[in-house]
Amino acid sequence: MRPPLSRALSIPLRTVGCGFLVTVALLFGGGTAGGGALATADQTATASGPTATTSGGQKRVCVYDHNYISGLAKFAALVERRTIDCAMVYTGSPDWAGWVDPWYLHDPDPDLNWAAWVRNSPASDRRQLIVSQPLIPSGLAGTDWRSRGAAGAFETYAREFAYYLVARGVGDTIIRLSWEMNYTGNIDNIGTTRPEAREWVQFWRNTVKAMRSVPGAHFKFVWCINNRYRNIPFSSYYPGDDVVDIIGDDVYDAGVPHGLQRWKTVDRSAGGLASLIDFARSHHKPIAIPEWGVGVPNRSNLAGGDDPSYVRGIAHTVADNNVAFQTYFFAHEWARQLEHGPRSLGAYRAAFGNGGYADGPDDGTGAVAAPRAPG
């Protein structure tokens, strides 16, 4: 489920100034973004710092918490972890200026400056930033952006975006590019025809290759679907093993009609998690669950409320498979339900609290804890 931009971003959209570094112009031959002091090209490698180690099998515990750094401590205390050192943010802009130099790289509020959060990582534990980045700014909606992107018209912006990430010390960001692209409600979706899907695939490939071409770039790219939305063969819009590092599925405890087994439905239905895991395995890629959560039930979301069996389903999937990371969506009804659902919260703590049976080797302290058995 991709939240509407107004809900995902709990801060006002900010646009950058019109100043433009000579370094950027030399590297990219033009562009529209600017504003803010950046490192020069010679400083880029130092600014990037060490790279994080999130990869297949690490099973990193991550959270989206309304974009505020201060919320990490609250979530850690709730789920009984010493710390949370992996966080996801959402970006969005009506124009390319905000797309290439998004708010979380330079926000003056230290509670919103995620690049600084990563740069200030403890020496023994590099923090991990996950960015949900659309393929295009919202101002391009309704245009021929797929065909233009497939033809390479926007590669300059992709390189510029990568430059800003590297220069601000987050060249190891995990990027969920055009997440939930199979959902037609998203402006950067794959479309409804085969030619549109082919153009989308080529645009995605062009963007990744352009970003990787920037010195100091160590990004990992996540190809992430919306669970069970449109039963389209994954292969028809998969960009290719050479440009995909991690295969993801956003899997909420929602959209399950009364009378059906909830976990079995989200896991085993057509286009569900199990089929995506099989697809990832056939491509020798780790998986991720970049968004998941238990929700307060209502008629529109058909959520499951306090549903520990769903939490255990997620946990056993993580424990039993090659998983790079999982991210709890700690906002809106998904936060309220976890906070006020003692059985779901207990299941989460047992699985993903420090020493939990589905916890990965990185517990946020630089030490590796032995997992405790499920109780």
Side-chain angles (χ1 to χ4, degrees):
M1 179 192 71
R2 181 186 296 206
L5 185 60
S6 61
R7 297 181 67 192
L9 298 179
S10 54
I11 60 172
L13 289 174
R14 295 175 169 88
T15 57
V16 296
C18 59
F20 198 68
L21 291 177
V22 174
T23 305
V24 178
L26 290 173
L27 282 173
F28 306 126
T32 59
L38 281 179
T40 65
D42 292 337
Q43 295 171 316
T44 295
T46 301
S48 293
T51 57
T53 56
T54 295
S55 60
Q58 192 168 7
K59 309 180 193 297
R60 199 151 186 168
V61 177
C62 311
V63 66
Y64 166 69
D65 73 333
H66 252 315
N67 292 325
Y68 284 91
I69 295 168
S70 57
L72 300 181
K74 175 184 177 182
F75 185 77
L78 177 70
V79 302
E80 297 182 351
R81 288 187 64 81
R82 295 183 186 91
T83 188
I84 295 290
D85 63 352
C86 178
M88 185 168 70
V89 298
Y90 291 84
T91 188
S93 171
D95 53 37
W96 285 112
W99 192 94
V100 303
D101 188 17
W103 61 271
Y104 52 82
L105 294 180
H106 53 74
D107 199 287
D109 183 347
D111 203 17
L112 294 168
N113 193 320
W114 289 91
W117 175 75
V118 174
R119 291 195 302 269
N120 294 329
S121 297
S124 62
D125 186 64
R126 173 75 172 177
R127 293 165 176 163
Q128 180 66 63
L129 182 65
I130 304 170
V131 170
S132 301
Q133 178 87 354
L135 263 178
I136 57 172
S138 59
L140 265 64
T143 69
D144 59 346
W145 60 268
R146 289 189 195 88
S147 60
R148 294 177 64 197
F154 306 129
E155 291 179 18
T156 294
Y157 301 115
R159 288 190 291 271
E160 203 171 325
F161 175 43
Y163 175 83
Y164 277 101
L165 289 168
V166 171
R168 290 200 166 100
V170 286
D172 58 350
T173 295
I174 296 175
I175 301 171
R176 268 203 320 159
L177 184 64
S178 187
W179 74 103
E180 297 184 6
M181 74 298 285
N182 57 326
Y183 174 51
T184 54
N186 297 334
I187 62 168
D188 57 344
N189 69 77
I190 60 173
T192 57
T193 67
R194 289 183 179 180
E196 286 177 335
R198 285 194 293 268
E199 289 175 342
W200 181 93
V201 164
Q202 188 59 51
F203 186 9
W204 208 93
R205 291 179 56 81
N206 292 347
T207 301
V208 171
K209 288 182 176 182
M211 292 187 66
R212 285 179 173 170
S213 72
V214 172
H218 300 286
F219 310 117
K220 291 185 183 298
F221 290 91
V222 185
W223 180 77
C224 179
I225 71 163
N226 189 346
N227 183 265
R228 297 177 294 136
Y229 190 86
R230 292 201 289 171
N231 186 20
I232 309 168
F234 300 138
S235 59
S236 68
Y237 60 106
Y238 180 65
D241 291 343
D242 59 327
V243 291
V244 173
D245 298 296
I246 302 167
I247 291 177
D249 191 359
D250 289 349
V251 188
Y252 288 88
D253 186 17
V256 181
H258 180 72
L260 297 181
Q261 296 182 36
R262 304 196 65 84
W263 174 249
K264 183 177 180 180
T265 298
V266 300
D267 185 40
R268 296 289 173 177
S269 295
L273 182 57
S275 60
L276 193 74
I277 291 173
D278 289 342
F279 181 78
R281 191 174 292 129
S282 71
H283 287 267
H284 308 288
K285 299 292 182 181
I287 68 163
I289 306 176
E291 293 182 32
W292 71 276
V294 289
V296 178
N298 58 53
R299 290 183 179 180
S300 63
N301 67 19
L302 297 177
D306 191 6
D307 188 359
S309 62
Y310 163 81
V311 178
R312 286 192 289 268
I314 292 285
H316 287 298
T317 296
V318 172
D320 296 341
N321 290 280
N322 182 12
V323 177
F325 67 92
Q326 55 79 20
T327 307
Y328 192 90
F329 192 88
F330 194 65
H332 316 304
E333 63 265 36
W334 316 100
R336 293 194 300 273
Q337 183 58 72
L338 186 66
E339 287 177 308
H340 302 292
R343 296 183 300 158
S344 296
L345 182 56
Y348 187 101
R349 289 169 173 170
F352 301 115
N354 279 105
Y357 66 88
D359 192 8
D362 186 342
D363 67 355
T365 65
V368 177
R372 62 176 182 259

